[in-house]
Amino acid sequence: MHITQLNRDCLLHLFSFLDKNSRKNLAKTCHKLLEVFQDPLLWSLLNFHSPVELKKDNFLLGPALKHLSICWYSERVKVCNIEDWMKNSFQKELCHRHENTVSDFLLEVCNRCPSLLSLTLSGCGHVTDESIERLLRSCPRLQTLRIENCVRITDGALRAVPLLGRSLHTLHVDFCRNITHAGLQEFREKCPSVLLRAERSANMIPDSHPEKRLMLEKAARKL
């Protein structure tokens, strides 16, 4: 039997074992397999491991997406989590190339994937509180949100959960250095039913410009 003689359900099952590139290559072989590739039911789970992957055409964003993971661990991406005033010109240029990559992608998720159940963001240094707020508003079924080592995430993201994340039952904000003890305490008081984990977040040194830090030190000495 030729593969194209299989019914749609069998083909979807076979495609589910392939990675994104293999699915795309197989879809190029005939029109019937291209239709399977374009079926939203095939794309309920997406994992990305580099900024380049978000810009490829080897996947489909659709209403069937339930689980999304964007995890960057390369040395080049870690530069994004360095304070701006500490970056050299090369590092700034590197960050500028993909500064809005994840935020723009999450905006597409908000527009196309209202049934999203879980989201993991790790090492995404340019993701902001506004992106998380927009996501919670557009994906009301979101149950699990895991954020790790995202330098621009602050207490503002925590405050958005009681207002917008009505279905959320698990929240991780690990190694986010601009999350504070006060923000975590306020969240626990407002959302006691949500399982909260914040490994090292409030115990890390938060961002502050050297000039601002010097002013605070002077004020402390005066007191």
Side-chain angles (χ1 to χ4, degrees), residues 62-200:
L65 182 63
K66 298 292 193 300
H67 308 283
L68 172 63
S69 174
I70 305 175
C71 300
W72 296 356
Y73 298 113
S74 70
E75 291 298 328
R76 297 180 68 185
V77 171
K78 289 179 181 178
V79 173
C80 299
N81 283 307
I82 301 174
E83 291 85 348
D84 289 337
W85 61 85
M86 294 180 64
K87 296 174 184 174
N88 57 38
S89 57
F90 172 76
Q91 290 172 329
K92 289 180 179 179
E93 175 63 23
L94 184 63
C95 287
H96 180 69
R97 293 176 188 174
H98 58 252
E99 182 174 2
N100 298 318
T101 300
V102 177
S103 298
D104 291 345
F105 183 80
L106 289 178
L107 181 59
E108 291 296 316
V109 172
C110 292
N111 295 331
R112 302 182 187 183
C113 312
S115 301
L116 190 68
L117 298 178
S118 71
L119 172 65
T120 299
L121 298 172
S122 180
C124 304
H126 297 296
V127 172
T128 63
D129 295 341
E130 288 73 20
S131 297
I132 300 302
E133 291 174 12
R134 188 184 302 115
L135 189 86
L136 290 171
R137 184 180 295 107
S138 304
C139 304
R141 300 181 184 179
L142 190 68
Q143 299 176 1
T144 302
L145 177 60
R146 297 183 177 92
I147 304 174
E148 177 187 81
N149 195 24
C150 295
V151 65
R152 296 192 181 184
I153 296 299
T154 71
D155 293 347
L158 298 180
R159 288 192 289 269
V161 174
L163 301 175
L164 305 171
R166 293 179 175 83
S167 299
L168 203 71
H169 60 65
T170 301
L171 175 64
H172 294 180
V173 283
D174 298 330
F175 299 93
C176 296
R177 62 175 178 264
N178 288 304
I179 295 288
T180 68
H181 283 291
L184 294 174
Q185 181 61 33
E186 179 183 355
F187 179 85
R188 289 189 175 97
E189 293 174 356
K190 292 185 176 181
C191 302
S193 61
V194 177
L195 178 61
L196 175 65
R197 192 182 78 177
E199 185 177 351
R200 294 287 301 279

Side-chain angles (χ1 to χ4, degrees), residues 208-223:
S208 60
H209 196 278
E211 295 178 359
K212 181 179 179 180
R213 187 158 54 240
L214 182 59
M215 293 175 61
L216 292 173
E217 290 175 356
K218 289 181 178 179
R221 285 197 296 268
K222 288 181 179 180
L223 290 175

Side-chain angles (χ1 to χ4, degrees), residues 39-67:
D39 192 327
L41 294 177
L42 181 63
W43 304 99
S44 62
L45 170 66
L46 282 173
N47 295 309
F48 299 94
H49 302 286
S50 74
V52 178
E53 292 183 19
L54 296 177
K55 297 183 178 181
K56 291 184 176 181
D57 62 348
N58 59 357
F59 64 91
L60 180 71
L61 280 181
L65 182 63
K66 298 292 193 300
H67 308 283

